[in-house]
Amino acid sequence: MNPLIRREFIGILRSPKTFTMLLFLTFLFSATVVLQWPVDSSSVSGSESLAVFRVFGYGLLAGIVFLVPAFPATSIVNEKNNKTLALLLNSPLRGPAIYFGKIAGVLMFSLLVLLCSLPASAACFAMGGISLSQQLGMLYLILFFMIIQYSTLGMLISSHVQTSDAGVRITYTAVFCLLLVTLIPSAFLRGTSFFPATLLTSAEWLRCLSPLPAMMEILGDGDVGNSGLRQASTLVRFPMLTVISSVLFASLTLTRLNYRIFDRSKSKGTITNDRALSTRLVRRLIFIVDPQRRTNGIPWYLNPVMVKEFRCRKFGRSQWLLRLIAGCSIVSMLLTFLATTSAESWGVATIGPLLVLMQVILVVVLTPSLASGLISGERDSGGWEILRMTPLSTLRVITGKLLSVVWTLLLVLMATLPGYVMTVLIKPDLSLQIQMVLVSLFWTTLQALAISAAVGSLFRYTAVSTSVTYVAVVAFFLTPMLFWVAREAPFGHSTVETALLATPVGAALNVIGASGFEDYQLLPAAWWISGIVSALMFLVLSVQVWRLNRAV
């Protein structure tokens, strides 16, 4: 037996947090079915049992997305930082044996997550109306292929990054891109006539990289992004593309499992200030923000901690922010253009919800990555003690860190405004609704920032805080949507409305007139609840910072 399999798998199981998490998942999956179990089980119809199975399936999918990527994302980079990867490469084990041993441990743990759901899935099957092979069996098969794909992707990213928190952030971002971004091209190219057929076919195949269409097909929800294209089933294409992509990810990782993984040769470059005047002027005109230009000193009116966060964080530097803003602006304009020129009459009622969902996805993906390590990153690197010894007050330090995230998120949100401007130009009567949507998105951003900063401050290590923060933020915003998916069967109107009040996302979709959200009264209660939750999270952050500041 490969000794790494035992080491990786047993090492994960020995953690008390792992046992607590598995116990919690078993309880959560079982409670999901029990809470929806009908009072009179003798009169259960096929639609009611399918509704229960649908909520269970989406919950299991969310559990896999949240929990599985964190382990392979830190597997190789932790070995490298702990100086044990060199020992493994000098051992009798070859690169393929090392890779197989590490990923086998992750896959075995992922199978435990699936085993935790067996009592709940057995209860769903006992209700009747669910096929054992076509629905329940296919559900676990799709999830198994998804686990393989995310594990190999996480291992590949872990072999390239230099820190564990960077591996977690990049892996979760890539997972969300595979899950959601791959659906966008097919959704907006449907019905168009001026694009070549090869592009439409490519968009159809790209959509099959996401497990959502296959899951929705199994759970009886139809398919995402398939309307207008050829009505092809994704139950065959998704496993096929998953196997191909997993083999590609594994092959690329194996090419890294040798002594060259420690090489970091990099050109030192030349500072722009040391170049000739003509070269400096040309670079200033071409690059606008020249990454090789020596940065000026910090002005007296700026918070030095905020400037430090921007300059030390690669994502916070000006050239990366400008690229992100330009990308978001182009995407928002392109989505509106494709929607208005589509052969199918989409209308503003379709454009608006898609823009709202795009902004929410950006906020949910970016905020934990930026805010989870504000405190834990300093504690992990030893910088917190240095900050305590500076003349800066604790309030100024925390304010500077939060402002570095706030400005980034505000720039991202402002970059998507061209899409709303186009919407108002198409239908001027929606100007008031657009303003209310923007207010809801502001509260969404503030709530995500508060939760990320508060949850991240509770942990010492950056990788752990980033993983837990992603789970907390996405679960907080996704749970109300699971109630909405199961509206009327089995959750009633009042229950769904109460669940949607937890976040301003439902209020934004309600204001913009998204299908299925019209009958709920969510404003202004959703804004008040968001403000209260944000205030409580900032209070938790303040208490934790006060405790850390008093620690010897």
Side-chain angles (χ1 to χ4, degrees):
M1 183 178 181
N2 192 320
L4 273 180
I5 299 178
R6 181 180 180 86
R7 175 196 167 203
E8 293 291 320
F9 184 54
I10 300 300
I12 294 175
L13 293 183
R14 282 176 177 170
S15 173
K17 296 178 181 178
T18 302
F19 175 76
T20 304
M21 181 181 64
L22 293 175
L23 186 63
F24 174 75
L25 287 176
T26 304
F27 172 78
L28 182 62
F29 291 140
S30 301
T32 301
V33 177
V34 171
L35 291 176
Q36 301 176 70
W37 196 270
V39 178
D40 186 8
S41 58
S42 61
S43 59
V44 177
S45 62
S47 60
E48 292 177 347
S49 60
L50 185 60
V52 176
F53 178 63
R54 187 177 296 128
V55 175
F56 165 75
Y58 288 134
L60 186 56
L61 171 68
I64 296 298
V65 171
F66 296 159
L67 298 177
V68 170
F71 293 96
T74 59
S75 181
I76 296 179
V77 68
N78 280 344
E79 297 280 2
K80 185 164 59 174
N81 293 338
N82 294 333
K83 312 300 182 183
T84 55
L85 184 58
L87 298 177
L88 286 175
L89 294 176
N90 281 293
S91 68
L93 294 175
R94 300 296 182 183
I98 295 174
Y99 180 82
F100 175 75
K102 297 189 74 64
I103 200 170
V106 175
L107 293 177
M108 291 172 68
F109 170 76
S110 303
L111 291 178
L112 284 181
V113 177
L114 293 180
L115 290 176
C116 292
S117 66
L118 287 183
S121 62
C124 289
F125 180 72
M127 293 181 66
I130 300 174
S131 172
L132 181 61
S133 58
Q134 298 297 323
Q135 291 180 301
L136 195 60
M138 289 300 298
L139 171 67
Y140 280 95
L141 183 63
I142 293 298
L143 292 175
F144 177 73
F145 279 108
M146 190 174 70
I147 289 172
I148 295 178
Q149 184 185 45
Y150 291 170
S151 299
T152 53
L153 175 62
M155 293 282 285
L156 174 62
I157 294 173
S158 182
S159 67
H160 283 84
V161 298
Q162 303 301 322
T163 59
S164 55
D165 60 303
V168 171
R169 289 198 301 266
I170 298 175
T171 300
Y172 273 107
T173 302
V175 165
F176 283 118
C177 288
L178 284 177
L179 186 68
L180 300 172
V181 178
T182 52
L183 300 174
I184 294 178
S186 63
F188 284 92
L189 291 179
R190 63 183 184 184
T192 54
S193 56
F194 51 88
F195 288 106
T198 55
L199 185 61
L200 300 179
T201 304
S202 301
E204 182 181 356
W205 278 92
L206 180 64
R207 172 183 57 85
C208 297
L209 274 172
S210 172
L212 272 179
M215 289 290 294
M216 297 186 74
E217 188 174 343
I218 293 171
L219 300 176
D221 264 344
D223 195 358
V224 176
N226 198 36
S227 177
L229 301 176
R230 291 196 298 270
Q231 301 295 321
S233 175
T234 58
L235 295 180
V236 176
R237 291 185 175 184
F238 173 73
M240 181 174 61
L241 292 178
T242 300
V243 171
I244 295 174
S245 60
S246 299
V247 171
L248 177 62
F249 297 152
S251 302
L252 293 176
T253 308
L254 285 173
T255 61
R256 298 273 300 166
L257 282 180
N258 49 57
Y259 296 106
R260 291 193 299 272
I261 196 173
F262 301 104
D263 297 337
R264 295 185 61 188
S265 58
K266 185 178 181 181
S267 175
K268 63 179 181 180
T270 304
I271 298 297
T272 303
N273 302 68
D274 299 334
R275 298 175 184 267
L277 177 61
S278 58
T279 305
R280 295 202 302 267
L281 292 177
V282 171
R283 291 180 65 89
R284 189 68 172 175
L285 292 174
I286 296 176
F287 292 101
I288 302 177
V289 178
D290 188 356
Q292 295 184 359
R293 184 172 62 89
R294 186 175 288 112
T295 306
N296 297 325
I298 301 175
W300 62 270
Y301 53 84
L302 288 180
N303 191 314
V305 179
M306 180 186 70
V307 179
K308 171 249 183 187
E309 291 291 322
F310 276 124
R311 292 182 179 179
C312 295
R313 188 173 63 213
K314 181 178 180 181
F315 184 71
R317 295 187 178 182
S318 302
Q319 66 269 21
W320 287 102
L321 287 176
L322 288 179
R323 293 169 187 172
L324 179 63
I325 293 170
C328 293
S329 302
I330 293 172
V331 169
S332 63
M333 294 290 292
L334 182 62
L335 295 183
T336 308
F337 170 76
L338 290 176
T340 53
T341 56
S342 176
E344 297 181 4
S345 180
W346 280 31
V348 179
T350 304
I351 303 173
L354 288 173
L355 290 176
V356 171
L357 290 176
M358 184 182 72
Q359 285 188 305
V360 171
I361 292 172
L362 280 174
V363 168
V364 171
V365 171
L366 290 178
T367 306
S369 175
L370 297 173
S372 62
L374 292 180
I375 305 299
S376 61
E378 298 290 352
R379 297 176 66 190
D380 197 1
S381 62
W384 181 254
E385 297 301 325
I386 298 177
L387 287 175
R388 289 178 61 189
M389 291 186 291
T390 62
L392 298 174
S393 64
T394 306
L395 178 61
R396 190 167 174 80
V397 170
I398 299 304
T399 303
K401 285 183 167 293
L402 290 176
L403 284 177
S404 66
V405 181
V406 168
W407 280 114
T408 304
L409 294 177
L410 287 180
L411 289 174
V412 172
L413 291 178
M414 291 175 62
T416 55
L417 288 180
Y420 289 109
V421 174
M422 291 290 294
T423 304
V424 173
L425 292 177
I426 296 173
K427 195 171 182 180
D429 297 340
L430 291 177
S431 58
L432 179 60
Q433 292 177 253
I434 296 299
Q435 295 176 20
M436 299 175 69
V437 167
L438 294 178
V439 173
S440 299
L441 292 174
F442 166 78
W443 283 112
T444 301
T445 305
L446 183 64
Q447 192 175 35
L449 171 61
I451 296 173
S452 300
V455 174
S457 66
L458 301 177
F459 300 90
R460 179 177 180 83
Y461 299 103
T462 311
V464 178
S465 68
T466 303
S467 303
V468 177
T469 302
Y470 263 110
V471 173
V473 171
V474 178
F476 192 86
F477 284 94
L478 183 63
T479 302
M481 296 303 161
L482 292 179
F483 279 84
W484 175 79
V485 169
R487 62 190 183 279
E488 298 180 0
F491 298 119
H493 183 275
S494 59
T495 304
V496 176
E497 185 173 271
T498 303
L500 290 176
L501 289 175
T503 65
V505 178
L509 294 173
N510 171 255
V511 171
I512 204 66
S515 178
F517 289 88
E518 306 94 336
D519 299 331
Y520 300 103
Q521 301 296 326
L522 304 176
L523 291 179
W527 294 348
W528 281 102
I529 293 176
S530 178
I532 294 172
V533 172
S534 302
L536 291 176
M537 291 295 104
F538 282 126
L539 179 61
V540 172
L541 174 64
S542 303
V543 172
Q544 177 66 3
V545 170
W546 176 79
R547 289 180 64 254
L548 295 175
N549 197 41
R550 290 176 58 89
V552 178

